[in-house]
Amino acid sequence: MDDFSRLREIMVASQLIPRGIKDNRVLEAMRKVPRHLFMPLPLWGVAYEDNALPIGEGQTISQPYMVAVMTELLELAGDERVLEIGTGSGYQAAVLAELAREVYTVERIGSLADNARECLAGLGYTNVVVLTGDGSRGYEEKAPFDRIIITAAAPQVPEIIIGQLKEGGIVVAPVGERFSQIVVKGRKARGVLVEEFQVPCVFVPLVGEYGWKS
Ligand code: SAM
């Protein structure tokens, strides 16, 4: 086991299991995906600490716990088509790619999308497609999706996104004010999203037509 694998074991044992992450497939993916490779080299020494970290362009890679909890809420069994909005570093997309059949991930900032695409390809992920554009509109071309995860803060889950979710599908998103939100899990039943409120969180804003305007 190399040093980074050991740090991932410690991350899972000290940050995820004690806070209630139970899904073994999620824990296994968190043990496996090399989070440090999704961030700039000077940050590798703190890559497995209990924080969100800067990835450039004023954006962040989410805290490991937040990645784990949002992933667990998606209830992935392995055969799903997943849409992620807010690729950022590509780390969450890699965790999703370990647990689902196909992942489409959309990032509005071209340089971040390029880095994420390169990193995911370098690690051999062939079931992730990284797209550049305004993900607040979703990705109509490949809809409907079994699961949708928004990893940037939105005032609410955009209606257009709910329209791209299959009946019975799950959406997970940080929803609320600009500087404080709650992770919401919604299941689509008879065309309507039935929502449960989960953990408080702080995400960078979803900027776009159906998010914040700037
Ligand atoms: N999931 C990411 C990861 O694993 O590193 C972290 C996402 S970061 C907290 C939020 C990302 O959402 C930023 O990279 C930001 O540029 C992106 N974003 C914001 N608004 C967006 C939009 N309308 N469409 C696509 N991406 C957006």
Side-chain angles (χ1 to χ4, degrees):
M1 192 185 270
D2 65 23
D3 286 351
F4 287 116
S5 307
R6 242 187 300 277
L7 289 171
R8 283 197 293 282
E9 277 297 333
I10 294 169
M11 173 187 84
V12 167
S14 65
Q15 300 171 33
L16 307 187
I17 294 173
R19 285 175 175 145
I21 304 297
K22 290 190 181 64
D23 184 330
N24 276 325
R25 294 179 73 240
V26 173
L27 294 171
E28 209 40 58
M30 298 297 292
R31 285 189 186 99
K32 181 173 172 192
V33 178
R35 177 174 163 88
H36 61 288
L37 296 181
F38 291 87
M39 54 182 77
L41 186 60
L43 293 180
W44 284 16
V46 292
Y48 295 97
E49 293 189 2
D50 191 15
N51 297 312
L53 288 166
I55 53 169
E57 307 283 0
Q59 305 303 324
T60 52
I61 178 171
S62 306
Q63 178 197 24
Y65 170 65
M66 205 43 73
V67 173
V69 81
M70 290 177 80
T71 306
E72 186 170 68
L73 289 171
L74 288 172
E75 299 180 20
L76 295 167
D79 199 34
E80 297 83 0
R81 294 174 69 244
V82 182
L83 174 66
E84 181 195 20
I85 298 162
T87 313
S89 67
Y91 173 65
Q92 171 81 70
V95 171
L96 296 171
E98 292 286 340
L99 298 169
R101 179 160 53 89
E102 239 176 354
V103 179
Y104 292 86
T105 179
V106 190
E107 172 55 53
R108 66 181 273 271
I109 300 175
S111 60
L112 294 181
D114 291 345
N115 288 345
R117 199 176 288 115
E118 196 180 325
C119 187
L120 289 160
L123 287 168
Y125 288 103
T126 54
N127 59 339
V128 187
V129 178
V130 180
L131 303 146
T132 307
D134 178 6
S136 76
R137 299 184 191 136
Y139 187 48
E140 189 57 51
E141 289 86 332
K142 295 288 178 183
F145 296 93
D146 301 293
R147 303 286 187 266
I148 300 180
I149 175 171
I150 308 179
T151 61
Q156 65 269 317
V157 179
E159 277 299 322
I160 192 166
I161 300 287
I162 301 169
Q164 293 176 19
L165 186 65
K166 276 188 192 164
E167 183 64 18
I170 296 172
V171 59
V172 172
V175 166
E177 304 301 319
R178 183 86 186 211
F179 298 106
S180 92
Q181 306 92 31
I182 293 186
V183 172
V184 166
K185 172 178 180 171
R187 201 184 290 269
K188 191 167 171 179
R190 295 192 200 95
V192 175
L193 207 59
V194 181
E195 295 185 343
E196 294 164 14
F197 295 92
Q198 307 286 332
V199 276
C201 59
V202 181
F203 274 78
V204 295
L206 180 77
V207 177
E209 189 174 350
Y210 298 100
W212 300 96
K213 294 303 167 208
S214 61

